[in-house]
Amino acid sequence: LDPASTPTFQALNVSAALRTQSIEASAGLKGASLEIGGNSRTQNLEVRGELKVNARVVLAEIDSILNSLKSQVNRNGDILRANFSITEKLGLGLDRPATARLQLGDLCVIDMGPSNAPWLNLGWNSYYDGAWRRVDNNRASVNLHMSGEDGAGQEYRFQRGEPNGNNLRNIAVLGTSTSFIAESNFGLGTTAPRARLDVRGAIHAGGSDIYFTETTHRHTGFGNTLGYAAIENDGGDYNALMILGRQTNSNLGRVVKMWDNVFIAGNLGTHGYSPTPRTPGWGGGIHTYDIEAEATIWSRNGMQTGNRDLAENFNTQEILEAGDVVSMDPASDGMIRCRHARDPMVLGVVSTLPGMLLGADPARRIPLPGEYPVALSGRVPCKASAENGPIRKGDLLTPASIPGHAMRAGDAQPGTIIGKALTDLDGTTGLIDIFVFIH
């Protein structure tokens, strides 16, 4: 059917099937009615004029609606006032359909769950639509997932995935039942935290304990910085809870001060010494180097020492040795090595290691030059001579004629006895243990 001019029909009735490859009008096709009573099969229907249905120009109306909408959307600064319902997916800033329900650009996506399991997530290259997905499987991803009423309560979950698509995990959670930051440092009062938790300011902890549960931590030396202090649970070389005082770079080193009463349930070791008792029979307490007291040292159950004599410091102009028998110097306030047999000016014996020392200046730890401890009582090694006969254990002793030596007292006068021999003397001279007492 190919009219060369414009035909006009009142009616075209086809009672049988109309089969054509093409109905084409080079001009307008006008008619009051086009009615096909049977089957009609066409490959193409091309209308180059108006197509009217029930006297309405349908194509023109559709075209007008689309052009109006396109004009409104494309005009910069215009406002659309209408209700829109999008039941599928919406993409903004991209030509292809969105991956999630709402996609902004290439990788930013937004999705949400159903009303009976509410959640909303905003992701960069990752979103959740019942399962976790990526827009680009060759890029890393982050996502803020907000949960409304799941089993964990209301939560904000900050998730991250690696560029290879693996290890999708929560790096932080803020929720009604659980909150945590699993990765990176967190700072309060600072934009450059230097530890997992870096607080620049006071920390108030009410009614709670502080636990150090990292069992493999090793001492870092971070607290060695001038002005720093630290508490560490070291599981390495020190294997202890370490309290590192404020670093001062002075002779004191680190400093810790406590203003109130301190109770220690176990032993105390100071100056680098272990609190474990070393002396057999000692029940423990304080293990240290020196003890200095500005007032009285009082012991309920006595005092014990490793050495066995009581001594007192005396000055001298001579160079003496431990074990020398000494006498008062008749020409000065000091002492001298004893030079006379049965000398009534005898003081005692120069002590080797006093168990208790009198006359020690608390401002110094080392005796002054020319100062020696003289044993007044107790056991000490003593230089001895057999000039008055062999010395046997239990013999009384008195100064000998050999300077600094003692000999068997015999019939020595009172006031010249310096002690009693605790061991025998084998030979002419030697060093024996004696018990010192002036008699």
Side-chain angles (χ1 to χ4, degrees):
L1 177 62
D2 188 5
S5 60
T6 304
T8 301
F9 300 95
Q10 292 298 319
L12 175 62
N13 295 319
V14 181
S15 60
L18 175 62
R19 296 180 175 88
T20 66
Q21 293 299 317
S22 174
I23 300 177
E24 180 176 346
S26 58
L29 177 62
K30 299 178 181 179
S33 174
L34 176 61
E35 181 178 336
I36 301 174
N39 295 326
S40 175
R41 295 185 180 92
T42 64
Q43 296 297 322
N44 296 292
L45 175 62
E46 181 177 341
V47 181
R48 296 184 180 179
E50 295 181 346
L51 175 62
K52 294 183 179 181
V53 179
N54 293 332
R56 294 181 59 184
V57 184
V58 178
L59 294 180
E61 290 183 9
I62 294 174
D63 188 60
S64 176
I65 293 172
L66 293 176
N67 286 335
S68 176
L69 179 60
K70 182 176 181 181
S71 175
Q72 289 291 329
V73 172
N74 286 340
R75 288 188 300 184
N76 185 28
D78 278 354
I79 298 175
L80 294 178
R81 292 183 176 90
N83 295 323
F84 290 91
S85 177
I86 300 175
T87 60
E88 296 300 325
K89 299 175 181 180
L90 175 62
L92 300 177
L94 71 163
D95 296 332
R96 64 182 182 276
T99 303
R101 294 181 184 178
L102 174 59
Q103 181 168 343
L104 310 177
D106 290 338
L107 297 174
C108 184
V109 291
I110 300 175
D111 216 324
M112 66 174 292
S115 59
N116 61 345
W119 45 259
L120 175 66
N121 65 83
L122 169 62
W124 186 90
N125 196 36
S126 71
Y127 65 98
Y128 182 81
D129 62 359
W132 284 105
R133 309 184 189 279
R134 290 185 184 225
V135 180
D136 186 341
N137 290 327
N138 296 317
R139 293 194 182 189
S141 63
V142 290
N143 186 282
L144 169 58
H145 187 83
M146 292 163 280
S147 176
E149 298 176 2
D150 65 3
Q154 292 75 41
E155 287 187 336
Y156 295 86
R157 304 174 190 172
F158 300 86
Q159 294 175 317
R160 171 181 169 83
E162 298 304 321
N164 59 6
N166 296 330
N167 197 19
L168 181 67
R169 74 274 188 194
N170 291 328
I171 61 174
V173 170
L174 299 176
T176 55
S177 60
T178 300
S179 296
F180 65 83
I181 297 177
E183 300 179 16
S184 77
N185 295 339
F186 183 74
L188 294 175
T190 176
T191 58
R194 300 180 61 183
R196 279 288 182 259
L197 176 61
D198 190 344
V199 180
R200 307 295 173 89
I203 298 176
H204 295 254
S208 61
D209 301 326
I210 299 177
Y211 294 93
F212 300 90
T213 58
E214 175 53 64
T215 59
T216 60
H217 168 77
R218 299 183 70 90
H219 170 59
T220 62
F222 182 73
N224 295 338
T225 304
L226 181 63
Y228 281 22
I231 300 177
E232 298 184 58
N233 179 27
D234 179 70
D237 296 334
Y238 300 97
N239 196 30
L241 177 67
M242 304 173 62
I243 301 177
L244 308 179
R246 181 180 175 88
Q247 177 60 259
T248 62
N249 278 358
S250 66
N251 292 334
L252 292 176
R254 296 188 181 99
V255 176
V256 176
K257 293 184 178 180
M258 298 184 182
W259 302 108
D260 297 311
N261 298 325
V262 177
F263 293 84
I264 299 176
N267 298 331
L268 175 63
T270 70
H271 205 69
Y273 288 91
S274 170
T276 303
R278 291 179 55 187
T279 303
W282 181 54
I286 300 175
H287 186 192
T288 186
Y289 191 75
D290 290 333
I291 295 178
E292 181 178 326
E294 297 295 333
T296 303
I297 296 177
W298 185 86
S299 171
R300 180 183 297 276
N301 293 318
M303 184 176 297
Q304 299 180 17
T305 69
N307 299 308
R308 303 295 185 261
D309 66 288
L310 169 65
E312 183 175 354
N313 280 331
F314 285 87
N315 295 327
T316 182
Q317 301 298 319
E318 296 181 345
I319 298 176
L320 302 177
E321 296 177 348
D324 276 339
V325 178
V326 292
S327 301
M328 291 181 287
D329 186 353
S332 69
D333 294 333
M335 63 179 179
I336 58 175
R337 183 180 286 107
C338 189
R339 293 176 172 83
H340 304 290
R342 302 178 177 85
D343 188 351
M345 301 287 284
V346 66
L347 279 176
V349 180
V350 175
S351 177
T352 302
L353 287 172
M356 182 173 293
L357 180 63
L358 306 179
D361 188 344
R364 54 186 169 78
R365 292 172 51 190
I366 302 174
L368 292 174
E371 183 179 66
Y372 293 88
V374 176
L376 307 178
S377 179
R379 178 189 301 204
V380 291
C382 178
K383 296 178 179 180
S385 168
E387 67 175 85
N388 196 28
I391 297 177
R392 294 293 177 260
K393 182 170 62 175
D395 287 343
L396 295 177
L397 302 175
T398 189
S401 61
I402 301 175
H405 285 64
M407 65 179 183
R408 190 163 62 88
D411 58 354
Q413 298 297 313
T416 63
I417 304 298
I418 61 174
K420 181 175 290 189
L422 298 177
T423 58
D424 296 340
L425 173 63
D426 295 325
T428 304
T429 60
L431 198 66
I432 62 173
D433 281 350
I434 73 169
F435 187 83
V436 174
F437 58 87
I438 304 299
H439 176 67

